[in-house]
Amino acid sequence: MSPSEISRRTVLRGAALGAAVLASGADKLLGESVQAPPNIVFILADDMGYADISCYGRPDLHTPNFDSLASRGMRFLQAYANSAVCSATRTALITGRYQDRLDVGLDEPLVGRDTGLPPSHPTLPSLLRKAGYGTTLVGKWHLGLLPKYGPLVSGYDHFYGFRGGAVDYFTHSNDLWDEDIKVQQVGYLTDILGSHAVNVINGYAKARKPFLLSLHFNAPHWPWEGSGDEAESRRLIGHRLADFDGGSQATYQRMIEDLDLQVGRVLEALRAGGILDNTIVIFTSDNGGERFADTWPFTGRKTELLEGGLRIPAIISWPARIAMGQTTNQVAISMDWLPTILAAAGTGPDAAYPPDGINLLPFLAEGATPVARKLFWRYKANAQHATRDGDMKYLKILENTFLFNVVEDPMERANLKERMPDDYNRLIAEWAAWNAAMLPEIDASYTGNFTGDELADHIGTPEASHKADNPPPVAAPHR
């Protein structure tokens, strides 16, 4: 069946949970016929904290385009990243599976080691391309370098952006590419990526071909440079981009507001092309916030499995199918987007690579009841483990262990492990069983953390060992 022949009933049959509950009600939806599959625009921020846009509670930022996107769709209040750093989450996002199943997912983040996303592994863009979609990545890749790895061998028809983990916003650090050709372009990178995304949308709109546009900004990742900060860019020449003597709340605010402006340009391009209503627009971040981010009401940040390092904003809009102005307490995670998008497009995953994420479509209806999730994380620096099961979370940092109710106690202050020993022991055993099914950690993989001499609120924290943490299996508790 060609993409143009996919009907609304086909989309519903493709939904993994099989429920006709999108938009403003099942009865209305079943009476409609959609002649074309939806377009998908997936917008990813880099290191944005949970509360870093005004619709998530930050009062000192003006983000009208993010807020408008949220008002036209659904805002997730319990969305998680698959990892507390970027390339690991990006592995999960593009495969729909725990990153710890792949060698590239063992790096936190990918730095220096010769590994990457295997071109043979099915991905969101490769699966959509098989279903007749055009696929383009604009922005950050960070899943392995040429000649072995790259977006053009992992499902994307086109690529414009950078391949590493970070670049300067003005010099682009000699890492700006058009397809597999290195290019030079003058300008502020957030603006450049936004302009390129608009051109991509215009081209697809004219062709009337369904498309996936992955728009992966580097903002608001360091270096701390807003659109008027070329002097800061010049200061950093010859120095590490990951500096600890730059940046401010005012700079960070400008970076996010620049990002918001480009999101507005993308939405306007969809509207001008007459394709906004049947375009799924998703916005989220790759991990929790960095040093200038607002992670309230959580503690912790990037590189940490505390809620602040994992909880992220997540918004989905699909005007033709999702009712406006909703919020949901459904727990979601980065790897859910692959099965969700494939179901919306009327296709599915490769049977040999079943996703670990779930299809979220049934939970996008007004009044849909959330279901409990069981999710797992590990992070090599400081031997961190975490399990979320329902409202409860098991957390280990070094040899310290905790049990929290993260719904009632989002700051993770009241350690319940002695009051609730059965739950505590059960979550430890569940984590151990999950971990046994993943690749073991290796000493060779990179892992990063913040130290006491870098951030003043990390008193006495040393640089983490790169030693693998592979605990023995834990026997399941007796019931």
Side-chain angles (χ1 to χ4, degrees):
M1 180 182 294
S2 70
S4 62
E5 294 168 331
I6 295 174
S7 68
R8 177 63 188 146
R9 292 185 182 275
T10 305
V11 173
L12 293 175
R13 284 197 299 269
L17 297 180
V21 284
L22 297 173
S24 58
D27 292 340
K28 177 182 177 182
L29 287 173
L30 290 172
E32 294 181 357
S33 177
V34 177
Q35 298 303 314
N39 309 303
I40 298 105
V41 175
F42 196 102
I43 304 172
L44 191 65
D46 201 342
D47 291 0
M48 179 178 279
Y50 176 83
D52 270 340
I53 52 179
S54 52
C55 63
Y56 273 88
R58 184 150 184 171
D60 61 330
L61 284 175
H62 183 57
T63 55
N65 296 301
F66 284 123
D67 300 348
S68 175
L69 182 65
S71 72
R72 291 198 306 272
M74 176 175 284
R75 187 164 52 94
F76 285 79
L77 303 180
Q78 297 197 57
Y80 284 89
N82 261 79
S83 176
V85 290
C86 51
S87 60
T89 292
R90 290 164 197 271
T91 301
L93 175 64
I94 201 170
T95 65
R97 311 176 85 213
Y98 280 111
Q99 65 274 13
D100 312 277
R101 296 189 184 277
L102 288 87
D103 184 70
V104 65
L106 301 180
D107 285 86
E108 301 163 341
L110 181 57
V111 176
R113 200 162 66 93
D114 183 19
T115 189
L117 180 65
S120 60
H121 197 296
T123 63
L124 176 62
S126 73
L127 293 165
L128 286 173
R129 187 161 67 180
K130 286 183 178 180
Y133 275 68
T135 57
T136 297
L137 170 61
V138 174
K140 182 173 177 175
W141 168 243
H142 203 192
L143 291 175
L145 301 177
L146 292 172
K148 295 180 183 178
Y149 312 105
L152 299 184
V153 295
S154 285
Y156 286 107
D157 298 322
H158 302 289
F159 168 60
Y160 182 92
F162 61 102
R163 298 178 185 273
V167 294
D168 186 271
Y169 284 82
F170 294 94
T171 69
H172 315 142
S173 303
N174 197 34
D175 189 21
L176 189 60
W177 300 77
D178 189 348
E179 313 294 25
D180 283 346
I181 300 172
K182 193 173 286 188
V183 296
Q184 300 289 331
Q185 186 166 348
V186 175
Y188 184 66
L189 189 55
T190 303
D191 298 344
I192 291 172
L193 298 180
S195 294
H196 201 83
V198 168
N199 292 337
V200 169
I201 290 168
N202 291 341
Y204 281 128
K206 290 177 182 176
R208 293 298 167 185
K209 179 178 182 177
F211 65 89
L212 164 69
L213 168 60
S214 299
L215 178 52
H216 296 181
F217 287 100
N218 56 325
H221 193 289
W222 48 258
W224 312 111
E225 298 169 357
S227 58
D229 292 331
E230 292 176 82
E232 177 66 4
S233 174
R234 290 191 294 271
R235 185 185 75 87
L236 289 175
I237 293 174
H239 299 277
R240 292 177 67 234
L241 291 181
D243 65 301
F244 285 87
D245 61 353
S248 66
Q249 284 294 332
T251 300
Y252 190 70
Q253 178 175 340
R254 290 196 304 273
M255 294 170 73
I256 291 179
E257 290 178 347
D258 287 335
L259 175 60
D260 179 80
L261 179 63
Q262 299 310 312
V263 170
R265 294 182 64 204
V266 166
L267 297 176
E268 179 54 35
L270 294 170
R271 185 180 297 107
I275 56 175
L276 180 62
D277 283 354
N278 197 35
T279 296
I280 299 171
V281 180
I282 296 166
F283 167 74
T284 189
S285 181
D286 60 349
N287 47 254
E290 237 247 39
R291 69 200 77 167
F292 294 111
D294 187 348
T295 62
W296 180 260
F298 313 115
T299 55
R301 55 194 60 249
K302 179 181 178 180
T303 77
E304 298 160 1
L305 298 188
L306 290 153
E307 292 289 278
L310 294 171
R311 291 284 279 268
I312 50 177
I315 300 168
I316 182 169
S317 172
W318 187 6
R321 297 288 170 266
I322 300 175
M324 298 173 62
Q326 299 184 79
T327 60
T328 179
N329 276 302
Q330 176 58 53
V331 174
I333 191 168
S334 310
M335 63 187 177
D336 292 339
W337 292 118
L338 178 141
T340 301
I341 291 169
L342 294 180
T347 188
D350 188 312
Y353 298 86
D356 295 310
I358 67 169
N359 171 21
L360 296 171
L361 290 185
F363 309 107
L364 304 184
E366 287 184 287
T369 302
V371 298
R373 300 290 300 277
K374 189 177 294 185
L375 302 172
F376 303 95
W377 296 266
R378 69 186 193 193
Y379 194 83
K380 193 169 72 166
N382 297 320
Q384 298 178 71
H385 307 165
T387 302
R388 175 154 179 186
D389 189 354
D391 293 349
M392 305 305 296
K393 178 181 175 182
Y394 159 68
L395 176 65
K396 173 182 175 292
I397 305 174
L398 296 174
E399 299 307 314
N400 303 306
T401 60
F402 308 88
L403 180 70
F404 300 114
N405 183 320
V406 291
V407 173
E408 295 181 356
D409 177 26
M411 293 184 71
E412 296 172 285
R413 296 303 197 211
N415 189 356
L416 304 175
K417 69 177 184 180
E418 294 184 2
R419 294 177 59 183
M420 303 174 68
D422 290 345
D423 291 287
Y424 172 71
N425 290 322
R426 175 177 56 82
L427 266 60
I428 291 176
E430 289 175 351
W431 184 91
W434 166 81
N435 186 59
M438 301 294 114
L439 294 177
E441 290 185 354
I442 58 175
D443 292 348
S445 67
Y446 178 82
T447 188
N449 72 306
F450 292 109
T451 65
D453 66 341
E454 292 172 337
L455 298 181
D457 60 357
H458 285 52
I459 301 167
T461 304
E463 183 176 355
S465 165
H466 287 252
K467 291 291 184 182
D469 172 41
N470 292 307
V474 176
H478 295 293
R479 294 188 178 276

